[in-house]
Structure formats: structure tokens, C-alpha cells
Amino acid sequence: MGVFTYADESTSVIPPPRLFKALVLEADTLIPKIAPQSVKSAEIVEGDGGVGTIKKISFGEGSHYSYLKHRIDGLDKDNFVYSYSLVEGDALSDKVEKISYEIKLVASADGGSIIKSSSNYHTTGDVEIKEEDVKAGKEKATGLFKLIENYLVANPDAYN
């Protein structure tokens, strides 16, 4: 098994507490509301919402995938850090055992956020993950993130 790590950094005009609430704590209700074509539903199938919880995300009609399950590995509400692993679903292939993610939000000088993220692809055998495969997934995640950010900008009282 190999582990391939990819790191990324981006910015947002939204401050960390508000962005973390929308992006992490309330994402199960917000994302299906603003992007039903991407995510049909998100539900807890095991646990209480904290570390160890398993969530099932069902994708919308236009998606290449039908569902995935992820496990919450870490949740630090005070420091705006969230980590989770994709553990089941058709988004994983026979080449990838699991994908672990970590997102950390840091306050930027302009009052917004710096989003630091990392992805660890745990592959089976000696399979190598190609940069273009990761890029496609990141583009979808970035599009979803921009929808959330735009929603927060357009609704300044939401998720305060």
C-alpha cells in the first residue's frame, strides 16, 4: 500500500468561525439546499456527529457516483480543524483503499480565511495516483466551496 499526499491552500472573504460552521458543522443541511444537483442528501448512519461518526452522502442525478461514506477522524471547533476519511462508496475504486482529508481554517489579515487542506490517498498495491485524477476531484470540491462562499456573501446573517 502506498500513500500519496497532496496539499493545497486557498483564501476566502468569510471569517473562519462562520466558514467552519457552514462548511463543516452545518454542511449536511446547507449543501443539499444550495447544490441539490450535486448532493441529494447527507445523513449520519452511525455515531453522534463527533469523532468516529460515519456519514452517508448521496449524490444528485448528474453525478458520476451514487454515494460515499466518510468517517470523522478529528473535529476541533476551537481551532477550525476538521479531518475525515472516505471509507466506502463508488467514489473509491479498487485502486484506492481510502482517502483521508484535513481542512484547517486560519484567519487572514483582511478578516477572511486561509483554507489549508491536505489529501492522503491510501492506494492498494503499488498503484500510483496521477496528478490529473486529483485535479478533477479538487475542481469539483472548489466549485462546491465557491457555492457555499457565494451563499454566505449573499446571506450575511446566515451561519453567524
Side-chain angles (χ1 to χ4, degrees):
M1 178 173 83
V3 178
F4 299 89
T5 301
Y6 297 92
D8 194 30
E9 194 170 290
S10 58
T11 59
S12 173
V13 296
I14 309 297
R18 187 166 177 235
L19 186 58
F20 193 78
K21 187 172 185 181
L23 188 64
V24 175
L25 303 178
E26 303 290 334
D28 294 353
T29 53
L30 177 61
I31 294 173
K33 177 176 146 183
I34 66 171
Q37 72 285 1
S38 297
V39 176
K40 189 169 26 175
S41 66
E43 61 183 308
I44 292 175
V45 294
E46 183 182 311
D48 61 4
V51 173
T53 294
I54 306 286
K55 292 184 178 187
K56 179 180 180 183
I57 290 77
S58 298
F59 295 106
E61 298 297 320
S63 177
H64 297 329
Y65 307 114
S66 60
Y67 83 99
L68 65 80
K69 287 185 181 178
H70 76 249
R71 179 187 65 238
I72 298 173
D73 297 324
L75 180 60
D76 183 342
K77 297 176 188 177
D78 296 326
N79 295 303
F80 313 115
V81 180
Y82 180 59
S83 57
Y84 64 98
S85 296
L86 298 187
V87 294
E88 183 183 313
D90 51 3
L92 294 175
S93 68
D94 58 349
K95 298 175 183 177
V96 179
E97 183 180 306
K98 74 174 182 175
I99 307 170
S100 299
Y101 299 94
E102 181 176 275
I103 300 165
K104 181 176 185 174
L105 306 180
V106 179
S108 60
D110 63 3
S113 298
I114 299 168
I115 302 101
K116 298 179 180 190
S117 62
S118 64
S119 310
N120 295 301
Y121 292 75
H122 300 258
T123 60
T124 55
D126 57 356
V127 171
E128 227 177 282
I129 300 295
K130 294 184 175 80
E131 186 73 35
E132 58 265 19
D133 296 334
V134 174
K135 194 174 184 179
K138 281 188 178 184
E139 286 175 5
K140 288 180 184 180
T142 299
L144 196 54
F145 171 78
K146 285 297 178 191
L147 281 174
I148 293 169
E149 185 180 48
N150 291 340
Y151 177 84
L152 293 174
V153 168
N155 298 277
D157 295 330
Y159 301 100
N160 284 313

